[in-house]
Amino acid sequence: MPDDQTSVLIVGGGLTGLSAAVFLRVHGVPVTLVERHRGVLLHPRARTVNPRTLELFHQAGLAEAIVAGRNRAAGELMITAETLTGRERVRRGAEAPDGEHLISPCPWTPIDQDRLEVLLRAHAEKLGANLRFGVELTSFEQDDDGVVASVRDAAGGPAGVVRASYLIAADGCGSPVRRRLGIGRPGPGLLGSTMTLVFDADLDEHVRGRSIAVCHVDHPAPGTVLLPHDGRGRWVFSTPWEPARPGGSADTDGPIDLDDERALLLIRAAVGDPGLRARVVPQLDDGTRFLRYDIEAFVAERFRAGRVFLAGDAAHAMPPVGALGSGTGIQDAHNLAWKLAAVLAGRAGPALLDTYEAERGPVAEFTLRQALLLMRDRTGRDVLGTDEPAAAYDSVVFGYRYPAPGGETAVHGAGGPVPAAVAPEELTGLPGTRAPHVTIRYEGRVCSTLDLYGSDAVLIAGPEGAEWAAATTAAAERLGTPLRVHRLGADLDDPDQWCRRHRVGPAGAVLVRPDGFVAWRAADGPAGVDPDTAVADALSGLWCLA
């Protein structure tokens, strides 16, 4: 196995790791990814990309393919019943948030994780990422200059060395990288375990024409779930599974011992048909058919140790209720990618990397709490022991905030309390929040203001904000920082809506980070303020140049 020299080594080829590879390559950063499995898992796991996550994939040129590859088998109903054929107790529609079209230009997209990982892997390779599946990390060391990692073929082949400036650990809840670093993971911990399998069966008679997205059933045990996989007779089955259970021999995530006869009995119990014919199919390329997963709830004590960063399930884990975990991990990867790219290119100070943990840590804490509250409301299991109401779901998806201790002049945070989510209609340009979606006309086409963000910092000035635009351009040139400047009434149309949604006057301006979060806002013109100093401070703060 040849040695490798790269800028960023990613450990883990699931959603978070592949997303990190894509986002880094969009910024032109050399990437090597190692993943011990040889292929993606034939199991949907996460089943939906929320609009905020799709906005990030849109920046990477992937949104259209994701929407086109959506799971047309995923229905609209979430059902709770004795069995698939039995009496329903609860029926809910999987509805999108109210007013979604005003919140985001991107739709909710039902796509199974295995499909999404295939798209991500192909796109990362197209962008030039070095993806090495079937290769596992065996050890690593770091110093002030970088990370040296030893890797080997997971099947026992030759070993090699990867030298990188930084390492991203996206290697799951049990993260060997996190354990090696000695980083704890406080939280409720293990909530239970589940066994999953994928099977083929003709269930049309049992479905009875219902448009099912998820079916929660009581048999063979409460907590069992059936999910349609491809709309052609393939289903996913999961059920609580503890090591002491008959047939269960594993005490960690991974393959378990189970035979076809026992599996068929479990499937028949869930469907409610003792004579059902079904065939279990492999979930992994190596033929593994039965897998066990721990359902956990924690947030790591730290997201960074020197040149190593934790992302996704390595940094936080939450129950699958609400499908919040996958989006949080992908958004970790996006937040970290633009910051690593800026530091590696010399456009930003190294302190910018400190803001990754300062921003994503509180978001993970907040999102985990919301997932646990949703679990309480949907299953009756109260881990937190509180009657606190869960936040509105669309507020959790769109309205999480990064610390902004400086108020209107805030650029990045350094710790602080867990951020409160804001309702999407309150995304009005406040520093620390995602910039509002406003429909505009740019370069002869109708688009969203969110289309302007992704690669560099962006200043948008109101129709009378020429002074801010000129001062910011000059400051960026002095500092040597990348910047794009737009002005309403010049290259952008629709100033009235933009000003109203961003809570600024015609002479105001908003500075937006590459990830679409507001870094700084001037409500009006620079009366009584030196515009050169104000914008220079804002840009220096954004890129941590001070």
Side-chain angles (χ1 to χ4, degrees), residues 77-446:
L77 300 177
M78 292 183 285
I79 293 170
T80 301
E82 294 175 349
T83 65
L84 180 63
T85 58
R87 179 179 62 87
E88 291 183 19
R89 293 196 303 276
V90 179
R91 175 184 284 209
R92 296 190 302 272
E95 300 175 352
D98 293 338
E100 176 190 323
H101 64 287
L102 300 175
I103 303 168
S104 173
C106 295
W108 286 77
T109 305
I111 182 169
D112 293 341
Q113 182 170 337
D114 50 346
R115 295 187 182 197
L116 181 54
E117 287 181 358
V118 169
L119 293 175
L120 285 167
R121 182 174 179 177
H123 199 60
E125 290 174 334
K126 178 182 177 181
L127 293 172
N130 178 17
L131 306 184
R132 296 165 66 171
F133 279 71
V135 174
E136 62 181 347
L137 177 79
T138 57
S139 65
F140 67 92
E141 301 291 339
Q142 61 172 316
D143 55 30
D144 293 340
D145 297 320
V147 178
V148 178
S150 296
V151 299
R152 69 181 176 195
D153 186 287
V161 172
V162 179
R163 294 173 174 82
S165 297
Y166 297 97
L167 185 152
I168 297 176
D171 51 345
C173 291
S175 177
V177 173
R178 186 191 63 237
R179 292 201 305 267
R180 180 178 175 85
L181 294 169
I183 297 176
R185 49 178 208 171
L190 182 64
L191 301 179
S193 300
T194 184
M195 182 275 289
T196 70
L197 58 84
V198 179
F199 69 94
D200 288 339
D202 182 0
L203 299 184
D204 287 350
E205 178 183 345
H206 310 81
V207 171
R208 302 193 303 273
R210 292 171 293 178
S211 179
I212 294 176
V214 180
C215 186
H216 298 270
V217 297
D218 299 334
H219 301 282
T224 299
V225 176
L226 288 169
L227 306 168
H229 186 261
D230 65 358
R232 297 185 297 274
R234 180 156 291 180
W235 289 74
V236 176
F237 166 96
S238 69
T239 193
W241 192 268
E242 302 301 332
R245 207 169 227 233
S249 61
D251 59 2
T252 59
D253 284 3
I256 62 174
D257 294 329
L258 185 66
D259 58 40
D260 284 354
E261 182 179 357
R262 170 69 173 158
L264 182 58
L265 291 175
L266 297 173
I267 295 167
R268 287 171 170 174
V271 174
D273 181 352
L276 179 72
R277 298 177 64 182
R279 181 177 67 91
V280 178
V281 298
Q283 298 187 62
L284 294 175
D285 287 350
D286 64 6
T288 297
R289 294 180 298 159
F290 309 108
L291 291 170
R292 175 179 177 268
Y293 296 98
D294 287 337
I295 300 173
E296 300 186 75
F298 68 83
V299 175
E301 292 173 336
R302 293 178 289 145
F303 283 19
R304 179 186 185 184
R307 290 177 171 265
V308 180
F309 298 87
L310 306 181
D313 287 349
H316 45 72
M318 52 196 72
V321 180
L324 295 171
S326 59
T328 305
I330 292 166
Q331 291 162 30
D332 289 345
H334 189 271
N335 183 285
L336 183 56
W338 73 266
K339 294 173 179 178
L340 281 170
V343 171
L344 285 164
R347 300 192 303 265
L352 181 63
L353 298 179
D354 295 334
T355 68
Y356 170 67
E357 178 180 321
E359 292 178 350
R360 296 306 299 170
V363 168
E365 293 275 7
F366 170 77
T367 308
L368 170 59
R369 187 170 188 85
Q370 295 308 312
L372 293 172
L373 292 173
L374 279 176
M375 183 179 72
R376 177 203 64 191
D377 294 345
R378 294 184 182 180
T379 70
R381 184 177 181 185
D382 187 2
V383 175
L384 297 175
T386 176
D387 58 1
E388 169 191 348
Y393 189 75
D394 50 344
S395 297
V396 179
V397 170
F398 291 101
Y400 60 88
R401 298 175 61 181
Y402 292 144
E408 290 289 270
T409 61
V411 178
H412 65 271
V418 173
V422 300
E425 60 269 21
E426 296 174 8
L427 292 174
T428 54
L430 181 71
T433 64
R434 189 273 245 148
H437 153 57
V438 180
T439 300
I440 57 170
R441 182 173 291 276
Y442 175 58
E443 294 184 338
R445 63 186 178 92
V446 175

